[in-house]
Amino acid sequence: MKENIIKSLRTLFPFLSVIFLWRLSIPFWNPGGILAIIPIFYCTFIKPTPWFMPFGLIFSFLLDYNLGALCYWTALYCLCYALNGFQSFIDIQHRDFNSIDMFMIYIGLGLVFFVIANLNWTTFGRTIWLFIYMTVLYMPITRTIDRVKNDR
């Protein structure tokens, strides 16, 4: 009985981490719950988790709702999911450091929209801060997901 509960919690941890990071919306540290993109990206593209794609799609839409973006993160997620099928050039699942370079490209392209939408120094500074902050938090969050799931 105890083993079944632990196994269930390990299976549910990526889903629960997305919900937790999305709900933990703090204006400076996690605006709109944007840190939820880390487990969404990781569990969809790097370590594919069963049934995570529809869940990631729903939470990308909810992230758009929180940030006031009109289906932007959802469209970016769907585009990257479609491009992920063409992994003959770059295999992002078998790269070093949990493919942090691919995450930096994904989040960098995503944040460029917010700079262009409201072009001023404050937005530019906050976007740079958010890019650095999310890049730094990528490794601890992905390592935690790996350890809880017992993949490594």
Side-chain angles (χ1 to χ4, degrees), residues 12 15 34 72 88 111 122 130 139 147:
L12 290 175
F15 300 94
I34 199 163
Y72 179 70
S88 59
L111 291 175
T122 305
L130 198 55
M139 288 307 288
R147 290 217 172 120

Side-chain angles (χ1 to χ4, degrees), residues 15-118:
F15 300 94
L16 296 175
S17 66
V18 170
I19 294 170
F20 175 75
L21 289 172
W22 179 72
R23 290 288 297 158
L24 186 69
S25 179
I26 302 168
F28 183 73
W29 298 104
N30 189 13
I34 199 163
L35 287 179
I37 288 180
I38 296 172
I40 288 172
F41 177 83
Y42 185 71
C43 293
T44 301
F45 303 119
I46 310 305
K47 293 281 187 179
T49 303
W51 295 99
F52 204 84
M53 190 279 178
F55 184 79
L57 186 63
I58 290 169
F59 270 89
S60 294
F61 180 75
L62 291 174
L63 187 63
D64 284 330
Y65 176 76
N66 274 357
L67 292 171
L70 194 60
C71 293
Y72 179 70
W73 289 107
T74 306
L76 185 63
Y77 179 77
C78 289
L79 176 69
C80 288
Y81 190 79
L83 290 175
N84 192 33
F86 299 110
Q87 279 196 23
S88 59
F89 298 111
I90 301 171
D91 188 14
I92 64 172
Q93 293 179 359
H94 299 100
R95 295 178 63 88
D96 293 335
F97 304 110
N98 289 339
S99 295
I100 192 168
D101 52 350
M102 293 295 122
F103 177 74
M104 290 170 70
I105 292 170
Y106 177 77
I107 199 67
L109 290 174
L111 291 175
V112 163
F113 167 75
F114 293 108
V115 172
I116 293 171
N118 188 13

